[in-house]
């Protein structure tokens, strides 16, 4: 089930525009599972540069437990220049920043048996060097953590 909207929620220095809320609930063989996903823009609905993001929570039954996640939606990005022009005073708008864009951002917490988390961050730096095409330097880092299993108590 899904609800599509353009609900704008003013927050201290910006507006959060909720675009979609969807959920799914299942009850099979006496076990309940389900998830809820919220998609939103950090900015006004008509702002083409505003990053699109998501948050989700899923309960996968008693064996797997809860999984929470959030980050940038596929195909969206966060430009350093956009952040400066949108959230800093006008005196900083002409600041000549390097063209860096966050292209991937994901944080996941798995609260089931593994009790693990993961973090992913990707960015691109575009350099205009007077060549026929700009030079783009891309980087991606991923951190996954799963604690070691403790020996069984005897």
């Amino acid at each position: 089930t899904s609800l599509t909207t353009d609900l704008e929620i003013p927050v201290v220095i910006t507006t959060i525009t909720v675009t979609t809320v969807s959920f799914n609930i299942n009850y099979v063989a006496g076990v309940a599972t389900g998830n809820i996903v919220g998609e939103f823009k950090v900015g006004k609905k008509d702002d083409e540069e505003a990053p699109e993001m998501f948050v989700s929570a899923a309960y996968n039954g008693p064996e797997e437990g809860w999984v929470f996640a959030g980050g940038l939606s596929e195909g969206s990005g966060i430009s350093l220049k956009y952040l400066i022009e949108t959230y800093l005073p006008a005196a900083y708008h002409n600041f000549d920043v390097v063209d860096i864009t966050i292209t991937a951002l994901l944080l996941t917490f798995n609260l089931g048996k593994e009790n693990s988390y993961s973090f992913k961050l990707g960015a691109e730096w575009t350099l205009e060097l007077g060549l026929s095409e700009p030079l783009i330097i891309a980087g991606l880092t991923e951190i996954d953590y799963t604690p070691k299993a403790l020996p069984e108590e005897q």
Side-chain angles (χ1 to χ4, degrees):
T1 303
S2 182
L3 169 68
T4 303
T5 181
D6 281 329
L7 174 65
E8 291 187 346
I9 303 169
V11 183
V12 179
I13 62 171
T14 191
T15 299
I16 303 292
T17 303
V18 178
T19 55
T20 306
V21 176
S22 58
F23 66 93
N24 179 32
I25 299 172
N26 297 307
Y27 191 76
V28 177
V31 177
T33 60
N35 67 343
I36 185 167
V37 178
E39 297 175 9
F40 58 95
K41 285 178 99 169
V42 181
K44 300 224 179 234
K45 65 182 173 187
D46 56 350
D47 185 349
E48 295 292 322
E49 291 187 66
E52 297 177 19
M53 306 188 81
F54 75 95
V55 290
S56 68
Y59 181 70
N60 299 317
E63 286 292 315
E64 295 182 39
W66 285 93
V67 177
F68 297 95
L72 272 173
S73 296
E74 189 71 33
S76 188
I78 303 172
S79 161
L80 178 59
K81 186 164 182 62
Y82 173 80
L83 291 176
I84 290 171
E85 291 176 353
T86 304
Y87 299 110
L88 292 181
Y92 295 95
H93 291 189
N94 290 329
F95 182 63
D96 188 21
V97 299
V98 292
D99 188 2
I100 295 177
T101 300
I102 296 172
T103 56
L105 179 62
L106 176 64
L107 183 59
T108 304
F109 292 98
N110 182 340
L111 302 180
K113 285 184 177 180
E114 289 184 354
N115 200 26
S116 63
Y117 69 83
S118 65
F119 175 75
K120 178 178 178 180
L121 177 66
E124 289 183 352
W125 179 14
T126 304
L127 298 168
E128 295 290 344
L129 301 174
L131 304 171
S132 61
E133 296 289 325
L135 176 65
I136 299 173
I137 300 171
L140 178 69
T141 187
E142 295 185 53
I143 300 169
D144 294 310
Y145 173 75
T146 302
K148 289 183 179 179
L150 297 174
E152 297 287 328
E153 291 189 55
Q154 302 199 12

